[in-house]
Structures are given as C-alpha cells and as structure tokens.
Amino acid sequence: MLEGNAERSVEATLGQLRVMDGPAPVQTPAPLTLEDLYRQHRMRLVRLAILLVDEPATAEDVVQEAFTGLHRNWGRLRDAAAAVGYLRTAVVNGSRSVLRRRKTAREYVPPHAVNARSAESLAMLSSEHQAVVSALSKLPPRQREVLVLRYYGGLSEAEISEAAGISKGTVKSTASRALEALQKAMQTPQ
C-alpha cells in the first residue's frame, strides 16, 4: 500500500517535470549527424544528469563528456539509431563516476542541498511534488537512477537494465526498495 503511494508520487512528479521539459525529439528516418543528435538531445540528457548528480554545471560536463566519447567513436558506430542509447548510457555511467568521486573525496556527504532545478520550475511544482524531489535526492544513487530513468526518462525495465548495466530483476527489486525508502523519507518530518 505504502509502495503504491510512493510510486504514484514519483510518477506524478517526474512525469510533471517531463511534461515541463517538452516532448522527446522525434527520430527522423534520415541518418542523423552528431550535430543533429547534439541539437535534439542535449538538453534532455542534461536534465537527466541533473536529476542524477544534483548540480547543473556537473550535469553539463557529464553530457559533454558523453558527446565527446560518441564523437571519438562515431566512425565505429554501426547503427546511428543506437547513438541515443549510447549517450543515455554514457550519461548514467558518467553520473555514477561523479558520485563515486564525490564520495571518495569527502567520504560520504548526502546529496547536495542545492536544488537541481531552477527556482521557477520548483515554484511551479506543488508542495507534494517538491517533497518528492527532496526525498528523491536522499536515496542511494542506484535507487535514484532507477526511479529517474523509469518515471522521468519513461524507460521500460529492459531499457533501464541496458542504460544502468544491471539485470531486469535488479531493476525491479531496486525500484521496489527505492519506492519504499521514498515513502519513508516523505513521511519523516523535515
């Protein structure tokens, strides 16, 4: 019962953010260039990274590194349609690396208190949605990744599994534990 409430809250909040960010770019049948990919997908990938690392500047660096990696390997890319999946996976992995470096450098410090979203976008969210975003930032990185990819990214379990490099069963169990932890965090007085 509690898990269902948390799932609805996460889905509503991250779904609202996805709507505010606009529709995902439509793939054109013509082969895309790296410039087209950058123009069409950069901001959505930056927003994904912001939800994972909590810092806009760091998120932009992670996305830039993903595009740099894609550029280095562009000649070896077999399927241009796979480039978006490559970029998404690179952003998730880059975000993980950032979080690992933070933990190593400072031992463990909870996710930043700085809001990942602009003041205007947070003001547009209801207090319930703001509570969800705050509780989401308190989750362990893998749990946060799975929920963000599912409810903000709109990915299936198989796509999350591929992007995060974990099995579908792990995606399911991690999502379940994350929703339970989120529910508890939202019930705890701040």
Side-chain angles (χ1 to χ4, degrees):
M1 175 84 173
L2 290 178
E3 189 175 302
N5 291 337
E7 182 174 9
R8 280 191 296 278
S9 295
V10 170
E11 186 170 17
T13 298
L14 295 181
Q16 177 69 27
L17 291 173
R18 185 175 52 231
V19 167
M20 287 168 49
D21 289 341
V26 177
Q27 292 289 2
T28 58
L32 292 175
T33 66
L34 187 58
E35 182 182 351
D36 294 334
L37 286 169
Y38 187 80
R39 198 176 311 113
Q40 292 176 11
H41 296 279
R42 183 181 76 80
M43 286 311 299
R44 196 170 236 351
L45 291 169
V46 167
R47 289 181 193 106
L48 172 66
I50 287 172
L51 286 167
L52 296 173
V53 300
D54 280 340
E55 282 184 354
T58 302
E60 289 177 6
D61 290 344
V62 166
V63 172
Q64 192 64 38
E65 284 298 318
F67 275 101
T68 301
L70 180 60
H71 180 264
R72 273 192 301 259
N73 297 304
W74 188 255
R76 290 184 265 163
L77 191 64
R78 289 184 219 149
D79 180 14
V84 175
Y86 169 88
L87 288 168
R88 186 183 311 115
T89 299
V91 168
V92 170
N93 289 338
S95 297
R96 283 181 183 165
S97 294
V98 165
L99 294 175
R100 251 191 320 274
R101 283 191 300 270
R102 282 184 193 165
K103 185 175 181 182
T104 301
R106 299 182 217 148
E107 268 307 296
Y108 176 76
V109 175
H112 299 295
V114 176
N115 287 326
R117 312 229 16 114
S118 69
E120 295 83 14
S121 66
L122 284 175
M124 291 171 56
L125 292 176
S126 69
S127 61
E128 179 185 353
H129 291 325
Q130 289 176 10
V132 171
V133 171
S134 174
L136 192 63
S137 71
K138 295 175 185 164
L139 292 178
R142 166 118 352 128
Q143 290 181 0
R144 184 195 300 191
E145 282 175 11
V146 169
L147 291 183
V148 167
L149 289 172
R150 170 68 182 98
Y151 297 105
Y152 177 77
L155 302 181
S156 68
E157 289 172 354
E159 292 169 323
I160 294 169
S161 171
E162 183 182 328
I166 57 178
S167 71
K168 284 201 280 188
T170 302
V171 170
K172 288 180 184 180
S173 62
T174 301
S176 177
R177 285 192 308 273
L179 290 170
E180 187 176 312
L182 193 75
Q183 183 69 34
K184 287 179 185 173
M186 289 173 55
Q187 291 176 344
T188 304
Q190 308 238 345

